[in-house]
């Protein structure tokens, strides 16, 4: 399966829903900002990121619900 790398923008209020959707996936999902890379299924890790900046979500897998959720956060 091809690795996906998506640029998103998210508010602190959206973190809980993002982590919940990521946790439903049976593949690894990382979210990063600059040189910080955290597990997207960790609410504490994700909350430690800078939400004023564009974040990168990287994963190799597919889940319809996660794709729909992330597509709403994509930066054009």
């Amino acid at each position: 399966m091809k690795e996906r790398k998506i640029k998103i923008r998210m508010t602190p209020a959206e973190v809980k829903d993002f982590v919940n959707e990521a946790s439903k996936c049976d593949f690894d999902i990382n979210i990063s900002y600059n040189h910080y890379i955290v597990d997207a299924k960790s609410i504490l890790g994700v909350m430690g990121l800078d939400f004023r900046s564009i974040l990168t979500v990287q994963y190799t897998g597919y889940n319809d619900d996660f794709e729909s959720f992330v597509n709403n956060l994509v930066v054009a």
Side-chain angles (χ1 to χ4, degrees):
M1 182 156 285
K2 186 178 176 186
E3 182 176 62
R4 296 207 56 203
K5 198 178 237 186
I6 301 172
K7 302 288 186 184
I8 66 167
R9 190 174 296 270
M10 178 170 47
T11 66
E14 295 169 313
V15 169
K16 180 181 169 219
D17 293 332
F18 176 83
V19 171
N20 283 338
E21 289 301 322
S23 295
K24 295 176 187 175
C25 299
D26 62 351
F27 48 88
D28 292 335
I29 304 170
N30 292 321
I31 186 167
S32 61
Y33 163 72
N34 281 344
H35 63 277
Y36 296 105
I37 301 171
V38 299
D39 182 354
K41 298 177 184 180
S42 166
I43 196 157
L44 289 176
V46 177
M47 287 300 290
L49 296 172
D50 183 359
F51 294 104
R52 296 170 295 186
S53 301
I54 294 174
L55 305 170
T56 302
V57 178
Q58 192 169 350
Y59 56 96
T60 307
Y62 186 82
N63 177 289
D64 282 332
D65 294 334
F66 184 70
E67 293 289 331
S68 295
F69 185 82
V70 170
N71 285 335
N72 291 324
L73 303 174
V74 169
V75 176

